[in-house]
Amino acid sequence: MSAIGAYGFLSDCSSAALVDTSGSIDWWCVPRFDSPSVFGRLLDAGAGHWRLAPAAEFTSTRDYVGDSLVLRTVLRTDDGAVAVTDALGMQPGARGHDIGMRPPHVLLRAVEGLEGSVEMGVEVAPRLEYGLTLPRWQPLEEGAWGARAGPVELRLTADVALTPDVGDLHGRFTVSAGERRTFRLAYTPSYADAGQADPAGCGADGWSALQDTAQAWQSWADLHPGYQGRHRRLVRRSSLVLQGLTYQRSGAVIAAATTSLPEEPGGELNWDYRFAWLRDVSLTLQALWVAACPDEADRFFHWLAGALGEVGDRPLQIMYGVQGERDLTEHDLDHLDGHRGSRPVRVGNDAWKQRQLDVMGEVLFAAHLLRDQIGDFSETVQGLLVALADQAARDWHLPDAGMWESRGQPRHYTTSKVLCWVALDRAIALADRLGPHARPQEWARTRDEIRAEVLARAWSERAGAYAGALGSDSLDASILLLPLLGFLPADDPRMLATIEAVRRELSDGTLVRRWDGDTAGFLICSFWLVECLALAGRVEEASRWFDRLAERANDLGLLSEEVDAATGELLGNFPQAFSHVGLINAAWRLTEATGQQGFDEMQ
């Protein structure tokens, strides 16, 4: 398996695959982001892969095709050069907002000869259900192979000769300049209806399918050309990544495409991020608004209302499956060694059981920000937002797990209180659109009570800063959210002191750790510091920090959750929505601070 930063990201807005610089697809979960893997070498050497690469030693360079998630890798040997193009296929002819609505679940690969002649090797080695099941390949019509194992049926079509060998298909072939070879690997459930047996796109010409998929992505990007601010290219790439992490049928956005990539190599902090956190979806919508891609707002709130059902007096669940599933119970896959020996490998995430009080504020922040895109709130959305405001007013004084999802004793985290303040502040601002059950006067009294409590108890004289929890002296980088949420101005003397304390105590270069003792720099915290510096008028300094953070992305502009300050290695699940959200918002904040564009309604 390769280092995390070596991977490129493929998506059909339903499932995701990762392909490394050596031409190996080491991760594909299908038909949903959170489905068991077909290729899982990312987490164990024996859990399946699909390698397509020169037989001799080679070097590689790569980039996405235009504004798409179609990846083109140029491989050079002493004898010549080829280009390998990879994608998860879209439904033929899908364009604009329709991309990813009915994906055919087909991995597309093509080899083009560029110079000389290159001998290529191909090894297709699926290991289904996270490596538990070995498929048996059977020849079909000419150029086609089929395999069924457990609940999965695969169909591979190729215009090169292949040989089966204990669950694998192998082949060698030569590509000369001007020649092309294509491969299509299609998934269907083993017991699909007859009409599903040959997915749309499986029988299409492979090269045409790749071209059509690139055009589908470009058509989506062309609908959102509006952002003209600083770091436009990076913002555009990050918005495409966020779209690729969106389960298009529901509008839910997953936190990352992977499970159990470690926060520390060889460590135990390995979590499944293939679910939709309300926090992440709300922040993603805010970032897409900045990037002039706000069209998902209606669908998100429709999904959210359906996932939550009747809120009532129950604590708000913080995360769901992409179709609104509630039970995400966690278990370990003991048969997998983990990425670079990082165990356990986990499927599911028990954080779904936690109380996290910040979530209500993040959802109401997004509703307020996107109010013009949403239009008139339906009665269902009105009821939902009122219920969230009421819950923030009722529960703000309780301890919780905090936004970093501590599995220890609940505490009175400062940002949890502040985001309850945000929930009520934005609900008051939306009161005339929330129907007859809105209670702005009651909400205002509680909002003011929360503010007074935070200002009185979050400040630590010993730390000379606002602390991570009420009555504590310990710093937490989440405090950087206070000016970003409008709770305090960045140039407030105590807020300035807090920003400086975070820089002094929690930063390694431009990487900001969440707390003292955290193992690596957390990228969204680092981008929050950029925003705070920009809001405080220190724009040149903020720009330098942003530029150095942007260099932490891999060669394709992809970011994980964390970065090892000593080695620069990307760590944690990948690609990470949170980190790309942070990049977009920091770029926008720098743009606004220099007067190039203004989005005053952000706060």
Side-chain angles (χ1 to χ4, degrees):
M1 67 191 71
S2 298
I4 293 168
Y7 287 97
F9 170 54
L10 310 178
S11 172
D12 58 12
C13 299
S14 177
S15 63
L18 299 182
V19 53
D20 73 7
T21 52
S22 74
S24 181
I25 295 176
D26 289 350
W27 187 248
W28 185 31
C29 295
V30 62
R32 295 184 1 169
F33 295 116
D34 58 348
S35 296
S37 62
V38 170
F39 300 125
R41 186 160 70 173
L42 185 69
L43 297 177
D44 188 286
H49 67 281
W50 179 4
R51 192 167 191 266
L52 179 60
E57 291 186 5
F58 62 91
T59 60
S60 66
T61 58
R62 58 186 180 170
D63 203 353
Y64 286 111
V65 177
D67 290 322
S68 79
L69 292 181
V70 176
L71 182 62
R72 186 174 188 267
T73 304
V74 176
L75 309 170
R76 295 187 176 276
T77 72
D78 290 341
D79 297 320
V82 298
V84 175
T85 305
D86 295 317
L88 279 169
M90 295 293 188
Q91 183 186 19
R95 295 293 183 268
H97 299 310
D98 291 332
I99 68 167
M101 295 298 286
R102 292 172 295 279
H105 304 309
V106 178
L107 263 171
L108 302 168
R109 312 196 77 179
V111 184
E112 299 173 81
L114 302 179
E115 302 170 11
S117 293
V118 178
E119 185 182 18
M120 298 289 293
V122 58
E123 182 180 42
V124 187
R127 299 293 185 267
L128 311 177
E129 295 187 273
Y130 301 112
L132 286 174
T133 305
L134 193 69
R136 178 183 292 110
W137 290 101
Q138 299 288 341
L140 304 175
E141 66 270 18
E142 184 177 357
W145 294 83
R148 174 179 289 182
V152 174
E153 184 169 346
L154 300 174
R155 176 187 174 96
L156 178 72
T157 57
D159 48 17
V160 302
L162 298 171
T163 302
D165 179 22
V166 193
D168 303 348
L169 291 172
H170 297 269
R172 287 283 185 102
F173 59 97
T174 299
V175 178
S176 300
E179 295 181 339
R180 185 182 294 144
R181 302 287 186 268
T182 61
F183 301 81
R184 301 177 301 273
L185 181 64
Y187 157 92
T188 54
S190 287
Y191 301 98
D193 295 336
Q196 295 179 273
D198 185 28
C202 179
D205 171 70
W207 183 249
S208 297
L210 276 168
Q211 299 298 103
D212 188 69
T213 296
Q215 292 170 22
W217 279 109
Q218 188 67 55
S219 71
W220 181 86
D222 289 345
L223 288 176
H224 311 98
Y227 179 77
Q228 302 296 325
R230 298 181 64 171
H231 306 288
R232 184 182 178 192
R233 182 185 63 81
L234 293 172
V235 168
R236 198 162 179 80
R237 174 54 54 194
S238 288
S239 66
L240 281 160
V241 172
L242 295 178
Q243 180 65 16
L245 294 172
T246 300
Y247 187 76
Q248 190 68 6
R249 296 182 187 182
S250 67
V253 183
I254 61 170
T258 57
T259 179
S260 299
L261 293 187
E263 296 181 16
E264 182 179 12
E268 298 180 357
L269 299 179
N270 317 316
W271 314 110
D272 194 345
Y273 275 17
R274 299 170 299 162
F275 306 111
W277 273 255
L278 302 191
R279 175 193 308 114
D280 290 33
V281 179
S282 300
L283 293 174
T284 297
L285 287 175
Q286 296 163 33
L288 289 177
W289 173 82
V290 168
C293 311
D295 45 277
E296 301 294 336
D298 267 334
R299 294 178 61 243
F300 163 63
F301 282 99
H302 176 76
W303 169 81
L304 179 60
L308 266 62
E310 190 68 41
V311 176
D313 293 331
R314 294 180 300 171
L316 181 65
Q317 185 164 317
I318 66 163
M319 58 189 290
Y320 297 85
V322 295
Q323 293 183 343
E325 299 88 349
R326 286 178 170 269
D327 188 344
L328 307 177
T329 298
E330 184 179 295
H331 66 279
D332 296 349
L333 300 181
D334 294 330
H335 65 285
L336 297 180
D337 288 338
H339 184 83
R340 296 168 60 188
S342 304
R343 302 185 70 189
V345 173
R346 294 182 170 98
V347 170
N349 195 312
D350 279 346
W352 72 276
K353 303 173 184 178
Q354 291 183 345
R355 174 189 284 118
Q356 295 179 26
L357 297 176
D358 59 298
V359 173
M360 290 87 77
E362 283 138 359
V363 173
L364 274 152
F365 186 105
H368 179 258
L369 178 67
L370 297 163
R371 59 195 181 278
D372 294 334
Q373 282 74 34
I374 299 171
D376 293 334
F377 294 153
S378 67
E379 288 188 15
T380 300
V381 172
Q382 287 179 352
L384 170 64
L385 297 178
V386 167
L388 296 183
D390 285 343
Q391 191 165 121
R394 185 193 70 210
D395 293 345
W396 72 270
H397 64 283
L398 297 174
D400 73 333
M403 69 183 309
W404 305 133
E405 300 180 352
S406 168
R407 298 199 176 193
Q409 188 70 22
R411 300 181 67 192
H412 292 280
Y413 290 99
T414 302
T415 49
S416 296
K417 311 303 182 188
V418 169
L419 275 153
C420 286
W421 177 90
V422 169
L424 297 172
D425 184 72
R426 299 321 192 259
I428 293 164
L430 291 171
D432 61 348
R433 302 176 64 171
L434 295 183
H437 299 294
R439 286 176 282 279
Q441 292 181 335
E442 294 179 32
W443 292 338
R445 286 193 292 271
T446 306
R447 177 194 61 182
D448 295 344
E449 183 182 354
I450 297 171
R451 180 179 179 82
E453 179 80 356
V454 170
L455 294 178
R457 297 190 58 208
W459 178 258
S460 166
E461 291 290 348
R462 180 177 179 181
Y466 288 108
L470 302 187
S472 171
D473 295 319
S474 299
L475 289 175
D476 188 306
S478 64
I479 294 298
L480 297 172
L481 282 171
L482 269 60
L484 311 187
L485 297 169
F487 185 82
L488 280 174
D491 58 1
D492 172 89
R494 286 189 166 186
M495 195 65 232
L496 278 174
T498 301
I499 294 168
E500 285 304 310
V502 169
R503 282 189 47 166
R504 183 177 62 252
E505 303 294 336
L506 297 183
S507 67
D508 296 307
T510 53
L511 293 169
V512 177
R513 291 170 283 115
R514 287 169 291 180
W515 55 77
D516 187 26
D518 200 7
T519 56
F522 207 79
L523 280 167
I524 197 168
C525 298
S526 307
F527 284 118
W528 286 342
L529 184 56
V530 171
E531 291 194 68
C532 286
L533 292 172
L535 283 172
R538 296 154 63 173
V539 180
E540 290 187 8
E541 186 179 3
S543 296
R544 290 194 299 271
W545 276 61
F546 183 98
D547 291 343
R548 291 173 64 187
L549 286 172
E551 292 172 355
R552 302 292 188 169
N554 75 359
D555 57 314
L556 297 172
L558 303 178
L559 294 165
S560 64
E561 184 176 42
E562 300 179 76
V563 177
D564 185 307
T567 66
E569 181 180 1
L570 295 177
L571 298 172
N573 284 305
F574 179 86
Q576 178 83 8
F578 231 25
S579 299
H580 286 278
V581 164
L583 183 149
I584 291 172
N585 287 339
W588 165 79
R589 197 75 72 173
L590 287 171
T591 295
E592 187 181 60
T594 53
Q596 291 176 260
Q597 280 185 339
F599 296 92
D600 293 337
E601 57 267 58
M602 188 69 175
Q603 288 190 358

